[in-house]
Amino acid sequence: MIFYTVAGFLFVLTIVVFFHELGHFLVARWCGVAIRTFSIGFGPEIMGFNDRYGTRWRLSWIPLGGYVKFIDDDNPASAGHKSLEHLSPEEREQSFQGKSLATRAAVVAAGPLANFVLAIVIFTAIFTVFGERITAAKVDIVNPGSAAERAGFLPGDQVISIDGQAIESFGEMQRIVGTSPDQPLHFVVGRNGKTVDITATPERKEITDHFGNTIRLGLLGIQRSASPDDWTLKRHDPLTAFGMAVKESYFVISRSLGYLYDVATGRESADQLGGPIRIAQISGQVASAGFVALLNLAAVISVSIGLLNLFPIPMLDGGHLLFYSIEAIRGRPLSENTQEIGFRIGLAFVLMLMIFATWNDLIHLKFL
């Protein structure tokens, strides 16, 4: 299991970080910004090489991120014109700070966008090459005393739509129900050749998956048939798969934002927030289930990293974009002192968030 954990974690994090930094790198180079270093990981270098443009490509010992270092990067915030003072006129033309506001914003935004593109590509490949296992949204068992029984579901019901959204598989229904605890849902079901309207409210419950992880989600108390004959494997053409991949990425984004909103409003606990330890644990569990499952996890993590980096927190890409938006409105950048203060506040926030997430991980693993 340790092998799966380490290998799965390194695979997922490396591919996600690499494409994030590659987004920054490609747009920066396309815009004429000179790049000193492209690093996967932090700390001492394990191995690396120099390309023909003088960029050092390196793999470092601490695999918890990465960075692209420009020729004028003398501080972690990539801000401040003091870093240009020691450069020659030719080097200043290739500096990041010497570029236009639009160029700097494009370079910064390219990282998160690359994560979204990576996720869509992975999801598209999965739906095209490996396909999806689906079963009809048919009710086989209604648990006694469940929300489904109280709402009037019967064995044999075929779910047609939920809140006006057409349902094509049991998994699709399960996803909507699972992400809607304590929220009334309007079902249209087929029963004996007729349509019946049912309003049911999923109950918020804790369940333990087959890996031993405890999660909270909405449950109706409906079961599907476990017979292999009721499953079908469906592969999609690339165009259809692409549309499905976009929807899948959107679902991850909307679900993440919905969870954060529920935490902020007190409807949900923040104990589900996880850090590197949780990612490593889940990566190992998923890796043991197969390569396709690990690819799917990489896509989900990629979307999450892209979204997180767009939050308007100084130090993250979204924080840079926030400063650039202010610069566009004011007609001049914020003072270097103001940006430095913002960076320190952002760093403190990110560190506190990492500590909190790691604390959650340790509690989740029963180390505390």
Side-chain angles (χ1 to χ4, degrees), residues 117-177:
V117 171
L118 172 63
I120 292 173
V121 169
I122 292 176
F123 283 137
T124 300
I126 290 175
F127 292 137
T128 302
V129 178
F130 302 102
E132 60 172 341
R133 295 180 65 200
I134 60 176
T135 187
K138 180 182 177 182
V139 178
D140 289 290
I141 300 173
V142 178
N143 295 338
S146 65
E149 184 183 57
R150 293 192 298 271
F153 277 98
L154 297 176
D157 284 348
Q158 180 83 30
V159 177
I160 299 172
S161 68
I162 302 177
D163 285 347
Q165 178 180 337
I167 301 299
E168 298 181 357
S169 69
F170 195 95
E172 191 174 4
M173 175 179 67
Q174 200 172 34
R175 172 174 287 185
I176 294 175
V177 170

Side-chain angles (χ1 to χ4, degrees), residues 24-47:
H24 291 312
F25 174 86
L26 291 177
V27 175
R29 178 158 288 181
W30 181 60
C31 293
V33 179
I35 303 166
R36 287 180 177 173
T37 309
F38 184 111
S39 178
I40 300 299
F42 300 102
E45 179 180 309
I46 301 175
M47 58 184 296

Side-chain angles (χ1 to χ4, degrees), residues 164-196:
Q165 178 180 337
I167 301 299
E168 298 181 357
S169 69
F170 195 95
E172 191 174 4
M173 175 179 67
Q174 200 172 34
R175 172 174 287 185
I176 294 175
V177 170
T179 56
S180 306
D182 303 325
Q183 300 179 35
L185 299 176
H186 176 248
F187 294 78
V188 176
V189 304
R191 179 185 298 169
N192 298 325
K194 300 179 181 179
T195 58
V196 179

Side-chain angles (χ1 to χ4, degrees), residues 130-136 168-169 227-236:
F130 302 102
E132 60 172 341
R133 295 180 65 200
I134 60 176
T135 187
E168 298 181 357
S169 69
S227 172
D229 295 335
D230 293 329
W231 290 89
T232 58
L233 180 63
K234 185 176 181 180
R235 292 186 175 88
H236 302 275

